[in-house]
Amino acid sequence: MLLDVLNLQTSLVLTYLLLFNFLVESEHEAATSNGSAGPLGIAIVGAGIGGVTAAIGLRRNGHILYEKSPLANEFGAAVGLYPNGTGILRAWGIFAETFGANSMSRFVEYARDGSVLREFPEPNWTCWKHPSQLVYRVALHEGLKQIATSPDGPGTPAKLFTSSKVVAVNPEQGTVTLENGTVATADVVVGADGVYSTTRKYICDTQLVSSGQAAFRFMIPRSTAEADPVTAPLVKNLINTMSSWSGGDRWLVMYPCNDNQLLNFACIHPGSESHAVQSDEWNKQASLDQVLKVYDEFDPSVKAFLAKADPSTIKVWQLMDMDKPPTWVSGKLALLGDAAHPFTPRKHWTGAVKAIEDAAALSVVLPPSTPHSQICERLKLYESIRYERAHKIQHASRMTGQDRVDGKPEVDSELKYHHH
Ligand SMILES: Cc1cc2nc3c(=O)[nH]c(=O)nc-3n(C[C@H](O)[C@H](O)[C@H](O)COP(=O)(O)OP(=O)(O)OC[C@H]3O[C@@H](n4cnc5c(N)ncnc54)[C@H](O)[C@@H]3O)c2cc1C
């Protein structure tokens, strides 16, 4: 059986990926190929970070790619890219610093009164072969999208169809049905449609559950914080640094991005206090009053930071969780990224990197020579490479995100670093 023969481990996957950096010219306009071997027609549902990264990986292997997504106005705050993610991107010649990423070389955890609880100094972060970076999500997404769809570069550029909501999938036939009734057929369908995935419903009936937590998100210019004597000393100390302030059932995480010029805030708190609703929209408006009330007992310097948020830019969303689905694959359909394993980004947000890992693994198991007869088995191989690791990290993320309650034994927060 293919799974036994190849028995790929994640580390080998990356080497294998580099070997299959083919250039394939193709005139295919349909989403299926005609021959018995590749290039394959691949329809990717969802052009978030996971979908566009899969497109980059798969175009290098010479497949024809179709992205179907309603990408309207991209927004979003910052995302952390850790060594396993930056390593994959670098293997493809993509350096996130060209999208304004700054490095993350330090992590400081404060209590709500401003005292330092712990600090992970530079050596802990620089022992990896590749850097940890903090990047403005919009810039990263736009950069990756350009690379996936550009006529320059290896393989066949991905075709991106925006405002094309997928409403149904037939995993056996490899068809996707759009909202306007159009039906497209592909050799492989990738469900990269995020936490509120439609494609997942065609594989399993695993349901999302609320984590009970919500997150306010906003950014403030570094210069604004530097101009205030209350916040200036902290800002000075936080170049290339991720920081968090914890107080019982609420935290806030702050880190710079965009060459350290923007300060990104994610403020995690009981959802009941901000009335966040369960929604696949990422732009639910929140008010500054709500934010200040939730963090009322935090140090004045923290509140001075929060008060600088432009009220029109403060968003709130509920954090969703999900049990592991029994499988990520059915017939010609495979899930990827948040659709397969949503992370509760409480303290530590690894969703983007995990989606990048999935995308790399998928592009390895579908090389240009893929016989059509092996597609389903190869998708199962992808699942077997990724399933245990992704769900182990999902579990670790839940554990390290638990509330810091007095007297309760603390979860080893090093866990999160070991499992990046
Ligand atoms: C707008 C936005 C802002 C975000 N902001 C942050 C942030 O600030 N910090 C952070 O850590 N993480 C953020 N995330 C989440 C983070 O990007 C993901 O956790 C991670 O990158 C995994 O990506 P993904 O591709 O699996 O899912 P996502 O990034 O959620 O992408 C899924 C994509 O699928 C599309 N889609 C959904 N349903 C359909 C459908 N039926 N048909 C076609 N397309 C569909 C969506 O429009 C979206 O573009 C954000 C996600 C989004 C979509």
Side-chain angles (χ1 to χ4, degrees):
M1 181 166 162
L2 189 66
L3 295 188
D4 298 324
V5 175
L6 294 178
N7 192 24
L8 290 176
Q9 299 299 314
T10 311
S11 56
L12 288 180
V13 163
L14 292 180
T15 318
Y16 197 57
L17 185 70
L18 294 174
L19 293 178
F20 282 93
N21 178 10
F22 280 47
L23 276 170
V24 177
E25 288 293 326
S26 173
E27 298 299 320
H28 287 269
E29 287 300 321
T32 49
S33 58
N34 297 320
S36 59
L40 304 174
I42 301 179
I44 303 178
V45 182
I49 305 273
V52 292
T53 310
I56 293 169
L58 290 164
R59 73 170 276 181
R60 296 176 73 89
N61 291 350
H63 298 299
I64 307 163
L65 299 162
Y66 290 80
E67 295 262 355
K68 300 181 190 293
S69 156
L71 293 186
N73 295 314
E74 265 300 287
F75 52 87
V79 288
L81 287 177
Y82 305 106
N84 39 347
T86 52
I88 290 168
L89 295 179
R90 284 172 179 224
W92 291 339
I94 302 168
F95 291 77
E97 46 272 47
T98 58
F99 316 132
N102 45 258
S103 70
M104 175 172 70
S105 53
R106 210 168 132 246
F107 175 74
V108 189
E109 191 171 350
Y110 300 92
R112 90 179 106 195
D113 64 4
S115 57
V116 176
L117 288 172
R118 58 184 147 190
E119 185 172 347
F120 295 93
E122 199 153 335
N124 282 24
W125 292 100
T126 52
C127 62
W128 307 96
K129 188 172 172 196
H130 302 289
S132 288
Q133 293 178 313
L134 303 167
V135 60
Y136 185 34
R137 186 183 180 280
V138 176
L140 174 70
H141 184 260
E142 184 56 33
L144 294 176
K145 193 173 76 182
Q146 291 296 336
I147 294 167
T149 57
S150 163
D152 301 327
T156 314
K159 291 185 179 181
L160 175 62
F161 294 92
T162 55
S163 301
S164 303
K165 185 176 179 186
V166 170
V167 292
V169 181
N170 184 320
E172 296 313 315
Q173 293 175 3
T175 56
V176 294
T177 306
L178 305 187
E179 204 169 26
N180 66 7
T182 306
V183 178
T185 307
D187 298 313
V188 176
V189 179
V190 180
D193 48 348
V195 60
Y196 292 95
S197 172
T198 297
T199 56
R200 186 172 59 229
K201 294 176 196 146
Y202 294 87
I203 293 184
C204 63
D205 61 3
T206 313
Q207 300 294 319
L208 290 173
V209 289
S210 169
S211 67
Q213 301 271 346
F216 295 118
R217 288 184 321 163
F218 54 88
M219 304 182 99
I220 61 170
R222 167 181 209 86
S223 53
T224 311
E226 275 172 345
D228 179 347
V230 180
T231 48
L234 262 178
V235 184
K236 208 172 137 203
N237 199 23
L238 294 179
I239 298 269
N240 296 335
T241 299
M242 181 177 274
S243 47
S244 79
W245 283 260
S246 342
D249 60 0
R250 59 206 68 206
W251 310 282
L252 60 93
V253 179
M254 195 257 281
Y255 55 85
C257 67
N258 205 20
D259 290 327
N260 277 297
Q261 295 311 306
L262 282 171
L263 303 177
N264 172 65
F265 287 80
C267 310
I268 293 107
H269 59 279
S272 56
E273 294 187 32
S274 56
H275 312 293
V277 288
Q278 195 173 319
S279 164
D280 64 350
E281 291 174 30
W282 292 76
N283 60 349
K284 293 277 175 213
Q285 189 68 37
S287 77
L288 183 56
D289 282 350
Q290 276 178 330
V291 178
L292 292 174
K293 203 167 153 200
V294 167
Y295 293 94
D296 188 41
E297 291 180 11
F298 279 58
D299 189 66
S301 61
V302 175
K303 289 196 281 182
F305 262 132
L306 300 177
K308 294 184 186 350
D310 172 351
S312 67
T313 65
I314 303 175
K315 312 293 179 201
V316 63
W317 88 86
Q318 209 176 60
L319 304 182
M320 304 305 292
D321 201 353
M322 190 180 80
D323 271 346
K324 50 183 178 188
T327 174
W328 299 0
V329 173
S330 172
K332 297 175 178 176
L333 169 64
L335 299 178
L336 173 154
D338 281 5
H341 43 70
F343 285 91
T344 47
R346 297 185 191 185
K347 265 190 198 168
H348 214 65
W349 303 25
T350 61
V353 171
K354 291 296 137 330
I356 291 170
E357 283 187 1
D358 288 349
L362 190 64
S363 65
V364 168
V365 302
L366 296 175
S369 55
T370 299
H372 288 203
S373 59
Q374 288 185 3
I375 287 172
C376 298
E377 206 174 350
R378 283 174 178 270
L379 293 181
K380 279 286 179 195
L381 173 62
Y382 153 74
E383 178 188 76
S384 73
I385 292 167
R386 296 294 305 149
Y387 188 90
E388 194 187 332
R389 174 174 165 81
H391 289 300
K392 200 185 234 180
I393 297 167
Q394 193 186 26
H395 179 66
S397 160
R398 275 185 208 117
M399 299 290 286
T400 57
Q402 284 176 2
D403 294 345
R404 185 183 281 277
V405 178
D406 288 345
K408 193 173 159 192
E410 209 175 290
V411 176
D412 171 17
S413 69
E414 281 286 314
L415 193 63
K416 59 194 177 192
Y417 304 115
H418 293 153
H419 285 299
H420 275 322

